[in-house]
Amino acid sequence: MTPDMSDVTRTKHGRPVHHWRRDVVELAALFTAVAVADAVANLIGHGPDGPTLLVISAMVLAATAGFHVWWARRHGHAPPVSDTGARPAARTRSAGPTGQPGASTDEVAGTGALWRMRTTVKDEPGSLAALCAALAEFRVDILSLQTHPLADGTVDEFLVRAPGGLQAAELTRAVSLAGGRSTWIERADAHDLVDAPTRVLGLAARTALDPAELPLALRQLLGRCSIRSLPGTPVGGGRGPEPVPVEGVLEDTVMRLRGPEGGVLTVERPYLPFTPTEFARARALVELDSRLGPRIPEGRDVLTLPEGNEITVRRIDTGDVPAAKAMHERCSARTLGMRYHGPVADADRYLNHLLSPRFGRTLAAQTTSGRVVGLGHLLWDGDETEIALLIEDAWQRRGIGAELLGRLVTMAVEAGCESVYAVTQASNTGMVAAMRGLGLPLDYQIEEGTLVITARLDAAPAVARPAYDTAQDQLGAPTRRD
């Protein structure tokens, strides 16, 4: 039988296939061995020392057979699986620690810890191979690799799965001994398993649908970073930020890009310098947003108030500034003062900034006649997120503020925000009640009559829901989506 014969021809129904030719050969060998043994016994037995030689031969054969049995049991000389046609035995390990180096319970279970790691190596042949060999010694599996060329080397960015017991310091030390420098490492999660092109395309699609997604897309693209958007002309007048060239500016841990509407977009990541590749990706994303121009997602919900009136909740932008100004004129000075915390006469000057999708998202509550009676803002403030409400006096205490607030919090959760805060006055009992109605952990800080309420979003919102939901709404009447 040839060694390369497939297992299909060598086995049948899970058992070895026996051929009659092999049986004939074995039987002939047995008869030959018996004839030879008889001839030797007759030759030696008729000699002068025949019986003694036969006894010694029997003792030698017995000792040889015993040694063979002992050796077979000690070293497990079992035939190979492919030769017997038997199924491979299941691999088992003890529940306790194993004596083999580098093995761990995570490895036995087929799991491990995910790490994102970035290090700089020399741009020369063999540098990456040495790094991979060092990781292999610790049984680290490289899931993905990105390279960022630099003037004085190459930044290699890894996503790896390491045994659960392996610490970050051990990985960093191994990489350093293999030639890596400026090594940075942090824990990763399942979202990082998405390859870079797919992730970038997904972020571009989100930005194309909604300009308010640009800061969030940049944060997901670049990791933990601070993003600040400054308008070309400040709301209060005066000198704007220093202009940025079209190609942008990269300064180690800070990148400055020209905003879609003439402002300046500043991205800062103090713990890790940006690479030219990251700068190019961020610039392409901002350029895509600029080319698409002003836009806003369509969709609106029709809610029925307890008294039977219908209101519509939808996203708005700077195109709705006139309607928002008209609402300001119908609001009392007390209502505007509690919302803007400044001179009431300046309230209209904030609307272009507040309603711009570049700085956040705005929801409006409209009557059937199209009159705006409520505004809810979700504003990106660097690493933090602010929420604010303004409800026209005649429409307060009807649940509109709570409805807008719940939808804004849901948007913040979907955007990955860890918390939201509201700045109001201690006397604004309506805003305080709406925040408490979220059912989220709240922190209160009072300074000189100004109340800052921070809601932590690590718990699921009790009232909040998707921004455009067709389910039963909290006002007690069905919601209709147009």
Side-chain angles (χ1 to χ4, degrees):
M1 182 179 298
T2 59
D4 57 348
M5 185 174 294
S6 65
D7 291 338
V8 176
T9 60
R10 300 177 63 184
T11 61
K12 185 176 182 181
H13 304 298
R15 297 185 301 272
V17 175
H18 296 282
H19 296 281
W20 63 271
R21 287 171 296 186
R22 177 185 296 177
D23 295 337
V24 171
V25 170
E26 292 177 355
L27 186 61
L30 177 61
F31 277 101
T32 302
V34 170
V36 172
D38 181 69
V40 172
N42 290 330
L43 180 63
I44 296 177
H46 291 83
D49 298 325
T52 303
L53 292 176
L54 288 176
V55 172
I56 294 176
S57 300
M59 294 176 61
V60 171
L61 290 175
T64 303
F67 177 77
H68 177 75
V69 172
W70 171 81
W71 182 268
R73 290 181 178 179
R74 180 178 178 86
H75 295 275
H77 284 181
V81 174
S82 60
D83 185 64
T84 61
R87 298 178 181 178
R91 186 180 251 177
T92 59
R93 296 188 182 181
S94 61
T98 177
Q100 296 180 355
S104 65
T105 56
D106 293 286
E107 182 183 344
V108 173
T111 62
L114 292 176
W115 296 91
R116 289 180 58 218
M117 182 176 62
R118 177 177 291 194
T119 189
T120 304
V121 297
K122 295 181 179 179
D123 189 10
E124 59 183 27
S127 58
L128 179 59
L131 202 59
C132 295
L135 295 177
E137 291 182 2
F138 286 86
R139 307 182 69 85
V140 175
D141 184 18
I142 300 175
L143 303 179
S144 68
L145 168 64
Q146 298 184 59
T147 59
H148 304 260
L150 300 177
D152 58 344
T154 300
V155 175
D156 291 333
E157 184 173 356
F158 296 89
L159 176 64
V160 301
R161 179 183 287 114
L166 191 62
Q167 301 298 320
E170 299 178 78
L171 272 175
T172 304
R173 188 181 308 111
V175 170
S176 177
L177 294 176
R181 55 185 172 85
S182 302
T183 302
W184 165 86
I185 186 171
E186 72 172 2
R187 292 298 291 266
D189 57 24
H191 296 88
D192 295 305
L193 294 174
V194 180
D195 62 286
T198 302
R199 184 169 66 252
V200 172
L201 288 174
L203 296 177
R206 288 176 50 184
T207 304
L209 294 174
D210 188 353
E213 291 283 345
L214 178 60
L216 307 176
L218 288 174
R219 184 172 289 127
Q220 292 189 17
L221 177 66
L222 304 173
R224 292 182 290 110
C225 58
S226 299
I227 302 175
R228 297 189 182 276
S229 181
L230 300 176
T233 303
V235 175
R239 185 179 179 182
E242 182 181 353
V244 176
V246 178
E247 64 275 10
V249 177
L250 174 60
E251 299 173 346
D252 199 30
T253 60
V254 178
M255 65 171 70
R256 300 172 68 240
L257 303 167
R258 177 176 291 186
E261 296 177 349
V264 177
L265 199 63
T266 303
V267 186
E268 185 174 2
R269 190 174 63 187
Y271 68 95
L272 187 65
F274 294 111
T275 65
T277 302
E278 291 177 315
F279 178 64
R281 291 172 180 172
R283 188 174 59 187
L285 202 58
V286 174
E287 183 179 355
L288 171 66
D289 187 68
S290 301
R291 289 181 176 273
L292 292 176
R295 60 205 181 280
I296 191 170
E298 298 181 358
R300 58 185 65 199
D301 287 346
V302 180
L303 312 176
T304 303
L305 300 178
E307 63 269 20
N309 296 327
E310 289 188 346
I311 62 170
T312 301
V313 177
R314 66 178 182 90
R315 288 276 301 275
I316 63 173
D317 58 5
T318 52
D320 298 279
V321 168
K325 287 183 177 180
M327 185 185 113
H328 278 180
E329 295 176 357
R330 297 189 299 269
C331 290
S332 65
R334 180 178 180 275
T335 297
L336 293 177
M338 284 194 298
R339 165 62 185 90
Y340 294 109
H341 320 292
V344 176
D346 295 337
D348 291 350
R349 300 170 58 184
Y350 302 122
L351 290 176
N352 280 312
H353 175 82
L354 293 175
L355 270 61
S356 173
R358 310 299 179 190
F359 307 105
R361 301 174 181 173
T362 299
L363 293 177
Q366 289 182 325
T367 63
T368 54
S369 62
R371 187 175 67 180
V372 175
V373 296
L375 293 174
H377 305 285
L378 184 69
L379 305 171
W380 315 133
D381 184 16
D383 293 333
E384 300 177 333
T385 306
E386 180 184 0
I387 52 177
L389 294 175
L390 177 63
I391 307 299
E392 187 178 326
D393 295 60
W395 293 83
Q396 294 178 5
R397 309 294 178 180
R398 300 191 185 186
I400 298 177
E403 177 70 22
L404 294 178
L405 183 62
R407 292 168 182 260
L408 294 173
V409 169
T410 300
M411 289 181 177
V413 172
E414 293 173 348
C417 302
E418 298 179 355
S419 63
V420 294
Y421 72 91
V423 180
T424 184
Q425 297 180 8
S427 59
N428 191 350
T429 57
M431 186 65 179
V432 175
M435 291 291 290
R436 294 180 61 183
L438 293 172
L440 295 172
L442 301 179
D443 296 329
Y444 300 88
Q445 294 182 357
I446 301 178
E447 297 181 2
E448 300 179 356
T450 300
L451 175 62
V452 180
I453 308 176
T454 302
R456 299 193 305 273
L457 304 182
D458 50 359
V463 177
R465 61 182 177 200
Y468 300 103
D469 190 5
T470 58
Q472 187 80 11
D473 76 310
Q474 75 176 69
L475 301 181
T479 302
R480 186 173 74 251
R481 182 173 181 178
D482 294 343

